[in-house]
Amino acid sequence: MTNKVSVLIVEDDRAISNLMTTTMRTSGYSYHTAATGELAILQAVSQNPDIIILDLGLPDMDGVDIIKKIRTWSQNPIIVVSARSEDKDKIEALDAGADDYITKPFSVEELLARIRVAIRKMHYDTSSQKNDPVFQNGGLRIDYAAGCAYIDGDQVHLTPIEYKLLCLLSRNVGKVLTHNYILKEVWGSVLESDTPSLRVFMATLRKKIEKNPSEPEYIQTHIGVGYRMIRIKGEQDAE
Ligand code: CA
């Protein structure tokens, strides 16, 4: 009987794959590997890994198609790995259902940090809290039924757009949301030219919820990609 977190590593580059498996082994995770998209899907079905690390540049399949396939039966965290030149692919992968991304070259510490974020999300997704009418994350509380948000017990006065933004991020806590996705969900339309106004709304929202908006605790900025609400580690989230 093992309750180790299991990771599926999908990577066709032998050197990177070896680095990842060594990291998994020394950090106490169990893992499987796949070097093609076809094998990745087979492994995802047969092993039902807790977390999938997916290289977007595979020889046989488009990484985005792999994500779409896996998302038909699994909501477990998917972290995509891509080269810096593949920014567009990264955004497509997030919109297809990936939770996070890591850019090559990356450090072992970075990889482990992303896995810890994914584990917190996984625990949150499987906890009863997920469908609560009240969202709690660190000092942030949102009462969806009442339409109110609180920081450390004090009500925060938000405009309707700021509140919608906050709810969208909280309902997807742990997942990176792309600019286009946010624009579509909050404003119902996507114009590239709307991204600057999204930035403005995000800045005013942060001023209201973050202790130090230049070092945000709740909402992370992913430059050129989007935003994510970080799941803050609580007492119930033993790792
Ligand atoms: Ca590759």
Side-chain angles (χ1 to χ4, degrees):
M1 212 17 219
T2 170
N3 58 359
K4 273 188 185 176
V5 170
S6 63
V7 182
L8 173 60
I9 296 166
V10 186
E11 173 62 74
D12 63 328
D13 184 317
R14 243 338 229 299
I16 297 175
S17 177
N18 286 345
L19 171 72
M20 286 185 179
T21 55
T22 306
T23 306
M24 295 305 111
R25 204 164 33 236
T26 54
S27 308
Y29 299 116
S30 76
Y31 63 87
H32 289 89
T33 57
T36 64
E38 200 185 342
L39 254 176
I41 289 168
L42 273 175
Q43 293 274 43
V45 173
S46 61
Q47 308 296 340
N48 190 27
D50 296 316
I51 297 167
I52 299 175
I53 300 175
L54 174 69
D55 173 29
L56 285 179
L58 291 170
D60 62 329
M61 272 177 84
D62 182 352
V64 171
D65 290 335
I66 299 173
I67 295 164
K68 284 181 184 157
K69 277 221 169 70
I70 292 172
R71 279 288 173 257
T72 60
W73 80 85
S74 167
Q75 289 306 315
N76 289 355
I78 299 176
I79 303 168
V80 298
V81 182
S82 74
R84 210 164 287 278
S85 57
E86 295 164 329
D87 249 7
K88 211 181 114 268
D89 302 2
K90 200 153 58 190
I91 289 169
E92 266 180 49
L94 291 168
D95 282 338
D99 296 275
D100 198 358
Y101 60 89
I102 189 162
T103 307
K104 289 177 188 174
F106 54 84
S107 67
V108 164
E109 290 70 36
E110 221 180 322
L111 176 65
L112 288 172
R114 299 314 173 92
I115 290 175
R116 283 195 297 272
V117 168
I119 291 171
R120 285 208 293 270
K121 177 182 188 285
M122 194 177 90
H123 287 164
Y124 176 71
D125 283 353
T126 53
S127 71
S128 55
Q129 223 206 321
K130 171 113 176 144
N131 297 312
D132 271 3
V134 173
F135 172 83
Q136 185 82 46
N137 189 21
L140 170 67
R141 196 161 75 90
I142 306 172
D143 183 336
Y144 293 125
C148 298
Y150 305 84
I151 287 287
D152 302 327
D154 296 325
Q155 191 173 348
V156 189
H157 297 281
L158 300 172
T159 66
I161 293 269
E162 288 163 359
Y163 181 71
K164 258 179 116 170
L165 260 176
L166 183 66
C167 288
L168 181 67
L169 289 159
S170 67
R171 287 188 192 280
N172 292 282
V173 66
K175 184 180 186 320
V176 179
L177 303 180
T178 64
H179 294 138
N180 279 2
Y181 180 80
I182 297 171
L183 290 171
K184 201 172 71 204
E185 293 296 315
V186 176
W187 284 274
S189 65
V190 179
L191 288 173
E192 284 297 315
S193 55
D194 289 336
T195 307
S197 45
L198 171 57
R199 203 169 299 137
V200 172
F201 280 107
M202 200 58 84
T204 61
L205 172 61
R206 273 180 169 151
K207 266 191 208 127
K208 295 179 184 181
I209 67 162
E210 301 281 5
K211 281 191 191 80
N212 179 0
S214 60
E215 275 175 48
E217 181 186 6
Y218 296 105
I219 305 171
Q220 264 184 350
T221 296
H222 291 255
I223 294 164
V225 176
Y227 298 94
R228 151 161 68 190
M229 182 175 287
I230 279 288
R231 176 79 190 143
I232 292 166
K233 195 175 173 218
E235 312 82 64
Q236 72 277 26
D237 303 313
E239 275 182 17

